[in-house]
Amino acid sequence: MAAAGRVAAGRVAAAAALREAGALRFGDFVLKSGRASPVYIDLRGLISHPLLLRQVAALLFQTAKDAGLEYDCVCGVPYTALPLATIICSENQIPMLIRRKEAKDYGTKRLVEGTINPGETCLIIEDVVTSGSSVLETAEVLQKEGLKVTDAIVLLDREQGGKARLEERGIRLHSVCTLSGVLEILQQQGEVAVEMVEKVKKFIQGNVFEPVAQNGPAAVKRLCKELSFSARAELPGVHPIAARLLVLMEKKQTNLCLSADVTSSKELLQLAAILGPSICILKTHIDILNDFTQEVVKELRTLADQHEFLIFEDRKFADIGNTVKHQYEGGVFRIASWSDIVNAHVVPGSGVVKGLKEVGLPLQRGCLLIAEMSSQGSLATGEYTKAAVQMADDNSDFVFGFISGSRVSNKPEFLHLTPGVQLQTGGDNLGQKYLSPKEVISEKGSDIIIVGRGILSASDRLQEAEKYRKAAWESYISRLGIRAED
């Protein structure tokens, strides 16, 4: 069969496979971003249809063959593309690599499993491409291992800007089919009404991720309207920790961080167990625990996984690179082994970030820089804040946001967390100034409120936490659609 005929047959086969597996559904759906969508695509169910799975794998392999691609190994984007890559490699005797989403905190701590030969070319396999962010994340991990990534094969291109974004980064995207192509086939077969096809096409055109220049001031001002948390999670430059956090925030409808400043391990674990469902982050000061053991952080880690929140050790590193490296990795607390997020002052210069990065980057941890503080008379203002933003830009592979009183960067890839929040504004006699959730989220443009005493001092902590969660989330919802200032 000629290449053109194979391509056409492949598209028809792909459309049938998607429909049969229930991977492509039409109607009225609410996406994670909160947007209403007339189409819903989910290929995870393919693993329960072994014949369809093999058929899709064969289509992907044939697409690479027809494109004349030359490559030494294959890597599937985790997780849906992993079984597809496995079938391709096992049936065609091609070496396979597996990219971990998170490095193990023991053993080799590798992010890529398999035999890596620097200089070889790795072909990426993906199921669906929207913005291209998942392919880019995988490519970056592989490239850091010394591998070349020039091409990616995808079953379905949603035509929402992913192809252009990947080409901008030097990666050619080859798709078995496009969403509009599948729609046309299903329409011809009488599976989808003409009205629905037009509705979906209109949705695609109105939800395109535009390519972004990599350099220059335009990168800061490209946000023409407020993006939802889940839309920001799909941006190609977003840090893996930020992406995880943004997705779980949208899923749980919470942008509340609990500042668990308690001195008892029992109380800390009780807070995590009871308030875990209401929060996106639990912030610790682990060195104030009177009875710290490694078992405590193991239990805390289990609760974090169970209730889907991240752990943030508020260590405020502020020393030379070599010292903070040891403070982060070793000592009594071994912070890097259990805390998703840490923070640092920028006073010591870029060395503090470089030292932390040496430990945290292989573990896929993330760092926040302290750009502003909520205490009265703080010196973290003006040029200091600008320096923090610049340092974050220079280290965006590890730094994903700021501790600040307001939005200090217009880049949607960066998150802003604001402490000193209470439902009733005011202050204390030690110089702490308090703002309301509405002021912080709606007016100052921050993303996450950090609340401690406002919840911990309440007789019913869960009830109080829910008040803060609802206030912060409603402020975020009201902010969506409001044009951001350049």
Side-chain angles (χ1 to χ4, degrees):
M1 187 185 294
R6 280 199 305 268
V7 170
R11 287 171 180 162
V12 173
L18 290 168
R19 194 68 168 160
E20 190 175 337
L24 193 61
R25 285 176 277 172
F26 301 96
D28 294 308
F29 304 96
V30 178
L31 303 178
K32 284 181 181 177
S33 61
R35 295 174 184 169
S37 170
V39 62
Y40 185 73
I41 302 168
D42 184 1
L43 281 94
R44 286 171 292 188
L46 270 178
I47 57 173
S48 298
H49 301 269
L51 289 177
L52 289 177
L53 193 65
R54 290 188 67 181
Q55 184 182 3
V56 169
L59 289 169
L60 290 164
F61 179 70
Q62 189 61 50
T63 300
K65 194 174 179 180
D66 290 342
L69 302 184
E70 295 183 2
Y71 48 95
D72 303 292
C73 54
V74 166
C75 181
V77 175
Y79 291 105
T80 309
L82 287 179
L84 295 168
T86 302
I87 293 171
I88 290 169
C89 291
S90 64
E91 293 196 351
N92 298 283
Q93 299 299 297
I94 303 168
M96 178 177 165
L97 299 175
I98 295 176
R99 175 210 152 199
R100 289 180 171 273
K101 279 203 170 183
E102 291 185 7
K104 297 182 293 184
D105 59 3
Y106 57 89
T108 61
K109 301 182 181 180
R110 292 174 64 177
L111 277 171
V112 180
E113 301 292 351
T115 302
I116 299 168
N117 297 311
E120 289 189 345
T121 299
C122 185
L123 176 67
I124 291 178
I125 302 293
E126 178 63 304
D127 60 334
V128 180
V129 163
T130 305
S131 69
S133 59
S134 295
V135 172
L136 283 172
E137 285 174 14
T138 299
E140 286 169 5
V141 171
L142 295 170
Q143 287 163 347
K144 284 176 183 177
E145 296 288 344
L147 295 165
K148 298 175 186 176
V149 179
T150 57
D151 297 271
I153 304 292
V154 64
L155 175 65
L156 182 68
D157 178 4
R158 287 186 58 132
E159 303 171 286
Q160 289 179 248
K163 185 172 184 177
R165 285 192 163 211
L166 290 169
E167 285 179 356
E168 202 176 42
R169 302 289 185 92
I171 299 173
R172 295 181 292 267
L173 183 69
H174 310 268
S175 59
V176 174
C177 55
T178 60
L179 183 52
S180 60
V182 169
L183 286 170
E184 288 169 8
I185 291 167
L186 294 176
Q187 180 188 328
Q188 290 168 6
Q189 295 174 344
E191 296 279 353
V192 184
V194 176
E195 294 79 12
M196 179 57 73
V197 171
E198 292 306 314
K199 192 174 182 181
V200 174
K201 285 184 176 180
K202 187 176 180 182
F203 171 79
I204 294 170
Q205 291 167 1
N207 291 274
V208 173
F209 291 85
E210 296 294 338
V212 176
Q214 295 300 302
N215 299 302
V220 177
K221 297 188 176 183
R222 69 177 178 271
L223 186 61
C224 61
K225 67 177 181 178
E226 193 72 29
L227 293 175
S228 68
F229 290 148
S230 54
R232 287 164 66 183
E234 293 189 28
L235 293 171
V238 75
H239 189 282
I241 284 287
R244 276 179 60 199
L245 181 55
L246 288 162
V247 168
L248 74 85
M249 286 161 65
E250 198 83 58
K251 178 182 177 181
K252 296 175 65 178
Q253 296 193 353
T254 178
N255 49 340
L256 169 63
C257 168
L258 173 67
S259 183
D261 297 340
V262 294
T263 57
S264 158
S265 296
K266 182 180 179 181
E267 187 177 4
L268 175 64
L269 295 173
Q270 284 177 340
L271 284 170
I274 296 168
L275 304 186
S278 300
I279 63 176
C280 61
I281 299 174
L282 186 139
K283 184 174 77 70
T284 60
H285 277 297
I286 208 68
D287 55 356
I288 68 172
L289 287 181
N290 295 323
D291 52 353
F292 171 84
T293 65
Q294 284 297 323
E295 285 303 312
V296 173
V297 287
K298 282 182 183 176
E299 287 185 48
L300 185 60
R301 186 72 262 167
T302 299
L303 288 166
D305 295 338
Q306 178 185 339
H307 295 301
E308 293 185 281
F309 62 80
L310 300 188
I311 302 173
F312 167 23
E313 167 54 22
D314 190 5
R315 180 63 178 76
K316 296 186 179 75
F317 290 101
D319 216 315
I320 61 172
N322 189 57
T323 300
V324 299
K325 178 181 174 183
H326 291 297
Q327 290 173 329
Y328 187 23
E329 184 175 35
V332 175
F333 303 114
R334 302 210 298 272
I335 295 166
S337 70
W338 53 268
S339 182
D340 301 295
I341 305 165
V342 291
N343 58 353
H345 286 291
V346 300
V347 172
S350 60
V352 66
V353 175
K354 289 177 181 176
L356 294 171
K357 193 194 304 190
E358 280 189 29
V359 177
L361 197 60
L363 298 174
Q364 284 210 322
R365 304 305 191 195
C367 181
L368 300 167
L369 295 183
I370 299 165
E372 296 175 330
M373 296 186 74
S374 58
S375 52
Q376 192 172 2
S378 168
L379 301 179
T381 58
E383 291 303 315
Y384 182 97
T385 300
K386 289 181 183 177
V389 173
Q390 185 59 55
M391 198 178 293
D393 285 337
D394 295 341
N395 296 276
S396 59
D397 57 342
F398 183 56
V399 176
F400 72 93
F402 307 94
I403 301 294
S404 58
S406 60
R407 184 179 296 182
V408 297
S409 169
N410 282 330
K411 290 188 177 181
E413 292 89 347
F414 287 130
L415 276 79
H416 295 78
L417 287 74
T418 299
V421 178
Q422 288 201 357
L423 293 173
Q424 300 298 321
T425 58
D428 64 14
N429 58 3
L430 294 176
Q432 175 68 290
K433 297 180 292 183
Y434 292 111
L435 297 172
S436 71
K438 183 180 179 182
E439 284 178 293
V440 168
I441 304 298
S442 295
E443 298 171 19
K444 293 185 175 291
S446 192
D447 299 306
I448 297 170
I449 61 170
I450 302 175
V451 183
R453 280 177 277 184
I455 293 172
L456 299 182
S457 62
S459 56
D460 189 331
R461 289 171 168 178
L462 178 58
Q463 185 181 59
E464 198 68 12
E466 276 297 296
K467 287 181 184 177
Y468 277 97
R469 184 194 66 79
K470 288 175 182 175
W473 189 256
E474 286 169 6
S475 297
Y476 155 68
I477 292 299
S478 71
R479 191 176 82 186
L480 288 180
I482 298 173
R483 297 185 71 84
E485 294 183 3
D486 287 339

